[in-house]
Amino acid sequence: MRKLLKLDEPCLLFQHDQAMEDPRDGLTLFGPLDEGKPYGIRAGVVGTRSGIPKFKAWVEWLQRPVRLQNPVLARPPFPGFEAAFRVPWHSAPILTIEVDEDELKAKTGLDDRHQRVFQTVELFSKAIIDAIRDEESKPDVWFVVIPDYVRRYCRPEGIVAPEDRYESQRFFKSAKQAKALYQSPSLFSEANEAAEPYFFKEHFRNQLKARLLEHRVSTQILREGTLENIIFTPQNAREAGLMKMQSQIAWNVATTAFYKTGGRPWKVNGIRKGVCYIGLVYKKDQRSVDNRMACCGAQMFLDSGDGVVFKGAVGPWHDTTTRDFHLNRRAAHDLIAMAIKSYRERRPDKRPPEELFIHGKTTFNDDEWAGFREAAPSETSIVGVKIRDDSSLKLFRIGDTPVLRGTAFVRNPRNATVWTRGWTPRLGTYPGLEVPNPLSVEICRGAASIETVLIDIMALTKLNYNACLFADGAPITLKFANAVGEVLTAGPIPSGGAPLPFMYYI
C-alpha cells in the first residue's frame, strides 16, 4: 500500500463563513470568526513607572498599519488592530498598577535563585490578585510588562551580574532540605513558610501562570525591550533584527489579546462534527524523591476550535527503563472521563463525541488503553495516535525548493510520515534553515483511516491562537504539551475545580 500523497492545505474559517489558507489574509479581508466583545480589549497592565508608558505608546502604535520597509511575502502587513479584529483597543488600560522598580531590582538581584524568582513573581501576582479583589474594574486580560533583566535573571539558568546582586537571607543549608518539607511539613509554621519558594520552579513565566490559575487570570507577558524596539530607533543588531519582525510581532500580540478576551480568531474550515482531539501531557515532578513521579495532564480541542486543559493525578507514570510515560488503569479512566464530561457540557445537545483521537508521543499499553475505553460511552470511537518528530527520513525535490508542506508517505494503513514543515506556496518560502524533518504518525490503538488522521494533523497545525502564523510544525495537541506541562509542575497547584480554558496556560 505504499504511496506518496500531497494533502491539501487546510483552510481556516473567518467572519461571513469565508475561508482562507493564511490567518492573516482572513483577518485582514473578513475579520475574526467571533464578533468579539463590543467594548473590545479590556486590558489591565502591571509594570514599572517606565514600562507602563511604553505599553500605552505601543498599543497606540498598534492602531495603525504596520509595514516592513522591504516587503516580504511571508510577513504580510498588519492593517491595524481595529481594522483586523473589528473591535477597539484603547491605548489607556482600564486598570494600571505600578510596581516599584527599586523593590523589583532588589528582588531580581537576590543570589538565591528560588527566593529570587518567587519574590519577583509575588510582586506581580499579588498586585493582580489584590486588584481582582479590591477594584471595581475587571480586565479580561492582564499584560505583565517586565524589564529585560527580569527575564534574564528569573529563569533556571539565570545568573545575576555582580553589580546587581543582593545577598539572600538563608533559612536552610540547601534547597534539597527545604524541598523535603513539601511532603513532610515542619511542626513550625515559620519553617514551612520559609520553604515555600523552593516548592516552585525557578521560571518567572511558568510560576506566574501557575500561581494565578486558581484565580482564573489570563496574562500576557511583554518585555520592555520588545516595546522599545518597535517604537524607537534600534541601538544594536539584535534590536534591528526585531525591527524586521514588526508586522509579525503586531499580528502575534493582537491575536493572542483577542483570544484571551474570549474571542475565537478562526477555526478550521470543514472539520468533521462531533470530533474531539486530546493531547496527553507528562512532566516529571521534580519535588518528589521518587524519580518515577510525574504529572499527567490532557489538552482537549473541540471541532469548534476551543481548547481546555485538565490536570490528572501525580503518580509513578514514568518508566525509568523505557523512559516512557504510562498511566495506570484508574488514572487513565478518570482523565478521559473528565474530558468527555467537559465535552458534553460544551455541546448544545449534551452528547459525547462521536470520535475521540488521543495524541501522544508514546504508544499506549494495555492497562492504559483499557482505562480509556472504560471511560468512553459505546457510541464514541477512540483512536490512539503516536506522533513524533522523525529525522531518519529525508525527501528532496528536483530544483531549489524543499519538499512541499503537506507531502505524506503512507507505508501501510496504520503508519505514515507527513511533512508539516516545508515549502509553502502561499508564503513563497520555507520558514526554516535546514532540510525539513517530517512527523512520524502511527495509529497504535483503535481504527481509523490513516489519511483522515494525517488531514486532521495538518489542520491542527493551524490552531495556535498564541501567535498568528500560517502554520506550526506540530499539531496543537502536542505543540504546547511542554509549555502546559511546565505550568502544571511549576508549583503546588490546588487539586480539583473545573477544567480551565487553554488561554490560562499560554
Side-chain angles (χ1 to χ4, degrees):
M1 185 196 168
R2 292 190 175 189
K3 56 183 177 179
L4 196 63
L5 306 174
K6 172 59 179 73
L7 304 173
D8 292 335
E9 182 63 51
C11 283
L12 303 172
L13 200 64
F14 300 88
Q15 205 166 117
H16 311 300
D17 290 331
Q18 297 296 317
M20 300 292 291
E21 284 186 6
D22 193 320
R24 296 162 296 192
D25 293 342
L27 291 170
T28 300
L29 294 173
F30 308 112
L33 179 67
D34 290 344
E35 293 184 355
K37 297 179 179 177
Y39 52 74
I41 305 299
R42 193 164 56 182
V45 180
V46 54
T48 63
R49 180 175 295 181
S50 62
I52 292 172
K54 292 172 186 175
F55 174 81
K56 293 179 180 178
W58 189 86
V59 175
E60 184 64 34
W61 170 84
L62 197 66
Q63 307 311 308
R64 300 182 292 275
V66 181
R67 303 181 183 90
L68 300 181
Q69 290 183 351
N70 299 313
V72 177
L73 185 62
R75 293 176 186 159
F78 178 73
F81 183 82
E82 191 163 354
F85 291 91
R86 309 318 197 245
V87 292
W89 185 358
H90 301 295
S91 59
I94 68 167
L95 198 57
T96 301
I97 302 175
E98 183 180 316
V99 171
D100 183 89
E101 188 150 18
D102 289 336
E103 185 179 2
L104 179 60
K105 287 181 177 178
K107 293 182 182 301
T108 56
L110 293 173
D111 58 2
D112 182 300
R113 189 179 292 122
H114 287 89
Q115 293 190 47
R116 179 197 317 153
V117 178
F118 183 84
Q119 292 189 32
T120 301
V121 170
E122 179 78 8
L123 199 60
F124 289 92
S125 63
K126 186 177 186 301
I128 294 174
I129 293 168
D130 288 348
I132 293 172
R133 183 187 64 241
D134 301 333
E135 300 290 342
E136 291 186 7
S137 298
K138 305 297 182 185
D140 293 319
V141 58
W142 281 89
F143 287 88
V144 179
V145 180
I146 58 172
D148 286 16
Y149 59 78
V150 172
R151 181 181 181 275
R152 186 164 60 250
Y153 294 156
C154 294
R155 51 184 176 176
E157 302 302 323
I159 298 175
V160 180
E163 62 272 16
D164 296 332
R165 197 173 299 163
Y166 293 85
E167 185 177 358
S168 304
Q169 186 176 358
R170 308 286 179 176
F171 298 94
F172 302 95
K173 293 181 180 180
S174 66
K176 184 177 181 180
Q177 183 183 19
K179 290 178 180 180
L181 297 183
Y182 177 69
Q183 294 179 320
S184 303
S186 170
L187 296 176
F188 301 97
S189 59
E190 295 85 355
N192 294 327
E193 185 176 333
E196 189 177 5
Y198 301 89
F199 302 161
F200 293 84
K201 290 282 185 68
E202 322 95 274
H203 192 292
F204 178 85
R205 176 197 175 276
N206 296 336
Q207 190 180 137
L208 178 69
K209 290 185 178 290
R211 291 170 68 175
L212 291 174
L213 278 179
E214 64 176 305
H215 302 281
R216 298 197 174 195
V217 178
S218 178
T219 58
Q220 180 66 29
I221 299 172
L222 291 175
R223 291 188 299 109
E224 288 184 20
T226 300
L227 306 181
E228 293 168 355
N229 290 335
I230 289 176
I231 300 170
F232 305 114
T233 303
Q235 301 298 316
N236 56 46
R238 178 181 175 277
E239 292 171 351
L242 281 179
M243 292 289 284
K244 295 179 182 179
M245 297 182 64
Q246 282 183 328
S247 62
Q248 190 56 55
I249 292 172
W251 276 117
N252 290 348
V253 178
T255 300
T256 194
F258 182 80
Y259 171 60
K260 290 180 180 180
T261 54
R264 282 176 305 164
W266 59 79
K267 73 173 185 178
V268 177
N269 182 42
I271 199 163
R272 303 185 311 286
K273 298 294 182 183
V275 179
C276 171
Y277 306 92
I278 292 179
L280 288 189
V281 180
Y282 292 95
K283 204 70 180 178
K284 292 188 69 174
D285 187 357
Q286 303 296 336
R287 295 183 298 267
S288 175
V289 295
D290 186 345
N291 61 3
R292 298 174 302 158
M293 298 300 286
C295 174
C296 175
Q299 304 169 80
M300 179 179 74
F301 294 88
L302 288 70
D303 52 19
S304 63
D306 295 327
V308 184
V309 174
F310 308 85
K311 183 187 177 186
V314 174
W317 315 135
H318 184 242
D319 187 321
T320 55
T321 303
T322 64
R323 298 185 179 179
D324 288 337
F325 293 90
H326 294 288
L327 297 172
N328 63 27
R329 190 168 186 158
R330 183 62 189 175
H333 173 279
D334 291 346
L335 196 63
I336 297 302
M338 264 196 301
I340 292 179
K341 179 176 181 291
S342 182
Y343 181 93
R344 285 177 181 267
E345 292 171 350
R346 286 165 169 76
R347 189 162 171 169
D349 58 10
K350 305 302 178 186
R351 291 180 57 82
E354 284 80 39
E355 297 177 276
L356 191 157
F357 291 87
I358 303 176
H359 291 176
K361 293 186 177 182
T362 62
T363 55
F364 307 105
N365 63 28
D366 292 342
D367 203 35
E368 197 171 24
W369 191 250
F372 292 157
R373 278 272 16 134
E374 289 170 0
S378 58
E379 61 265 43
T380 299
S381 169
I382 300 184
V383 180
V385 183
K386 176 183 174 182
I387 305 173
R388 282 191 170 182
D389 285 314
D390 184 4
S391 60
S392 65
L393 179 63
K394 303 287 186 182
L395 194 61
F396 298 88
R397 296 175 69 201
I398 297 174
D400 298 329
T401 59
V403 59
L404 284 166
R405 169 178 151 84
T407 302
F409 174 53
V410 178
R411 292 184 178 83
N412 58 58
R414 301 183 71 84
N415 193 291
T417 300
V418 60
W419 278 262
T420 54
R421 308 170 181 90
W423 180 267
T424 305
R426 168 61 189 87
L427 304 181
T429 187
Y430 157 55
L433 301 176
E434 301 176 349
V435 176
N437 287 326
L439 297 178
S440 170
V441 179
E442 178 189 353
I443 300 174
C444 54
R445 294 281 181 168
S449 162
I450 188 67
E451 291 186 28
T452 297
V453 170
L454 296 178
I455 290 170
D456 286 351
I457 288 173
M458 285 285 291
L460 290 168
T461 65
K462 307 188 77 160
L463 281 179
N464 179 3
Y465 297 145
N466 201 39
C468 193
L469 305 170
F470 184 89
D472 283 309
I476 193 67
T477 45
L478 298 181
K479 168 69 178 179
F480 290 113
N482 188 64
V484 169
E486 290 286 359
V487 173
L488 288 173
T489 57
I493 300 173
S495 59
L500 291 179
F502 193 53
M503 65 182 178
Y504 294 110
Y505 294 83
I506 60 174

